[in-house]
Structure formats: structure tokens, C-alpha cells
Amino acid sequence: MWDSVWRNADIATMQPGGEAFGAIRDGAIALKDGRIAWIGLARDLPAGNIGPETAVHDLGGGWITPGLIDCHTHLVYGGSRAHEFELRLNGASYEEIARAGGGIVSTVAATRQADEEELLRQSERRLRALLAEGVTTIEIKSGYGLDPGNELKCLRVARRLGERYPVRVRTTLLAAHAVPPEFKGNADGYIDLVCREIIPEAASSGLADAVDAFCETIGFDAAQTRRVFDTAKKHGLPVKLHAEQLSNMNGAALAAEYGALSADHLEHLDEAGAKAMAQAGTVAVLLPGAFYVLRETKLPPVDLLRRHGVRMAVSTDCNPGTSPVSSLLLILNMACTLFRLTPEEALAGVTRHAAAALGLGESHGILAPGRAADFVVWDIDRPAALAYQIGLNPCRQVVFGGRPLRH
């Protein structure tokens, strides 16, 4: 017998092809042991699998979508940079703020100073905001510790968030995020530390699901990134890359060469990079929050990605400096208004393509038999409303692993 049945709602399965949004009108979903056992038209629901212990939920209309997936965040960090926001608006340059001890250096200092309990407390507020909007899976990067002890501390906090809250957490080691103050002028020396100690420790402790790096003129060059990727592969960890955000460093092609799960940002991506990503199956993760906060004018080449069939995910990039955003629904709107994605592309970007960017493409992001029973019930009249509305959260019910959550 099934554990539960959810009926009397339209369903955006997000299956590619066929109806827009993979829609099933007047549909039903049956769940068993945390998985989807059956999905289809309500009139075709097999009655033989509904027993006295089956919980039957009549939703009375609305829409069901897969649980939302935020596939690129820096959610665990200490402190705030609201003061720097004020300074920038009053005319201070990024360089002036950095020279005064601001920028990423200030976040590194605050993160190092905070113990695990304090980091957990600060991070919980951001996570709860995302969960309230139907997020059921989230990627959390390190990258503000920048030494062995503090990088692992951030990853432990991320794991604890997944244990404390009804959310699936995928952790990414981003030790190669920036050169820490103690290695100023010695980026190669810091990469030595990352490869010699931090990646091996994160891998052996089971704290990292993937490894990321920032390949950029203000980050690390291609040779340094290769060293990080080679070490990650040696320890059995898949890779991701911050690429082509501020300039074209050919990072996307490098990521594709290593079979990266994703290349992220991509405002300066060229055709060679897009072709390489398409051939490797590397997902493009678009981050309109950072584009908005930094007041960028160089749009990511969405038409180029479409032309080459590169899957496009969308994410908050939740971080203290360039995207202090804890609303994935707002990001859906930004993806459409700023990057000109269609509402269907945007929703695919926070469901099936976001799942692929985390290596979960076979189990999450689509509502189909055998897949994880993570879904959201929304009080909307069409799926496009999730990208259309600003400041209104229509989330009515979240189901995580087959279990209804109080909302």
C-alpha cells in the first residue's frame, strides 16, 4: 500500500518535452518510502494501492512543483558587510574599502573569529528564509575560512544545518576562493596548502561533496586551478568552477575538460567555452543576484548557451559581499527580467538543471516514479507566477522525502 496520495492539483513535473512545465492537469502523486510511486491524471489513479493506512490529501487546487534547489550558495559565513554597502553608495571604491580592511578580508576575519555555534546561529537565519520558499536541496560552499581548520569548520556547520533542518545539503570545498592575508603575494604557496592539506582532509573526513575554485584575474589562474582540480580528482571529488565572471580566462573550457558538474557566473563566456561545456555536459549556473548587486552591464550569453544546448541552472549565490540574497523566488524573477530567461527556463533552472549541477540529476529535480518525493504545493494559477510575483510567497505546503512539513 502507498504511504500517501496527493490529489486535486495541477502538477508541473518539469519533465522535458511535451507540455510546458511538463504539466499534468488535475493530477495526483502517490508516495512510498520517501519516493514517488505513481504520478499521473487523478482519474487514472489505481485504487488498489490505497489502503486504510494511506494518507489521502485533497489539495483543493493550486500547483505542485518539484522541491526547489539552490545549487550555488556561500551560506555559511560570519559577520555582515552592510556598512560596505553604505560606503559604496556614498562613492567609496572597492579598492578603497579593501585597503581599509573590508571586502572578503573582513568576512574571513569574522568567520575565523566565530566558533561553530555562532556560525550555525548566523547561517540558520538565511537557511530558514530559503526553506520558507520551498527549497528542499541546497549547496553550501566554504571559502571564508581560507586555512585548514576554518575551512573544515565551515563545512561541519553546513553538515549540521542538514542534520537540524529538513533540507538536503550538498557541501562544496571552496578553499581556492581567495588568497588569505597571511599568504598575500604568494598565491602559489597558498595553493600548495590547499592541495597538500585542505582537500585531503575535507575528502578523508567526508565533509566535502565537491571542490570549487575561483578562476579569475583577482582569484587564481588556470595553472593554479588545474592543481586544485587534479588534487580533487585524486581524492575522488567532482569539481565545479567560478568562471568568466569578470573576464574571459577560458575557465569554462577548463572546467569542461575536467568533466565539471558546473561552471558558474559566465558573463564573459565565449563560444569555445560554451561548446566545451555542451560536449562535457557541464551545467551553466547563472547568478543574477551578483549581476544585480554589482550593477554589471555584461549579460551572460544566454542565447549562446541555448544554441549549444547547455543546461542553465539558476541560483541565489547567497554571500555577504556580492549577492546578499536569501530568496530563490526573487532570483527567478531576476533571471527572467535581467537575463531574459522564460519562466519555464527559470523554473527548470531551480529544479532539474540545478539538480544536475549538484550531481543529483538522476534522483531530484523532476517529479517522476522512482524519484525523491520532494515537492511543493503553491497557491498559484500557473507556474509562471513563481517568477512573476515579487515579495509574495505563495508556498502552501512542502513535502520532503515523502514527509509533509508544517508550513
Side-chain angles (χ1 to χ4, degrees), residues 37 303 375:
D303 285 340
F375 60 85

Side-chain angles (χ1 to χ4, degrees), residues 92-104:
S93 70
Y94 182 86
E95 290 77 13
E96 290 169 337
I97 292 171
R99 281 198 301 270
I104 191 172

Side-chain angles (χ1 to χ4, degrees), residues 5-9 11 24-29 38-47 50:
V5 171
W6 302 74
R7 60 187 306 165
N8 195 9
I11 304 171
I24 299 173
R25 296 286 185 166
D26 190 14
I29 302 178
W38 185 92
I39 186 169
L41 295 170
R43 66 171 181 263
D44 297 331
L45 184 69
I50 302 175

Side-chain angles (χ1 to χ4, degrees), residues 132-133 327 329-330 378-380 385-395:
E133 292 187 348
S327 171
L329 293 181
L330 174 60
W378 307 92
D379 284 323
I380 55 176
L386 296 177
Y388 158 71
Q389 295 169 329
I390 303 174
L392 176 65
N393 181 6
C395 177

Side-chain angles (χ1 to χ4, degrees), residues 2-74:
W2 291 328
D3 296 329
S4 63
V5 171
W6 302 74
R7 60 187 306 165
N8 195 9
D10 298 324
I11 304 171
T13 68
M14 300 313 296
Q15 288 271 22
E19 295 289 327
F21 299 95
I24 299 173
R25 296 286 185 166
D26 190 14
I29 302 178
L31 311 182
K32 179 69 175 177
D33 297 331
R35 297 275 169 182
I36 297 173
W38 185 92
I39 186 169
L41 295 170
R43 66 171 181 263
D44 297 331
L45 184 69
N49 291 310
I50 302 175
E53 302 300 318
T54 304
V56 179
H57 302 266
D58 188 324
L59 297 175
W63 277 84
I64 296 172
T65 72
L68 304 189
I69 300 172
D70 199 355
C71 66
H72 179 130
T73 85
H74 306 251

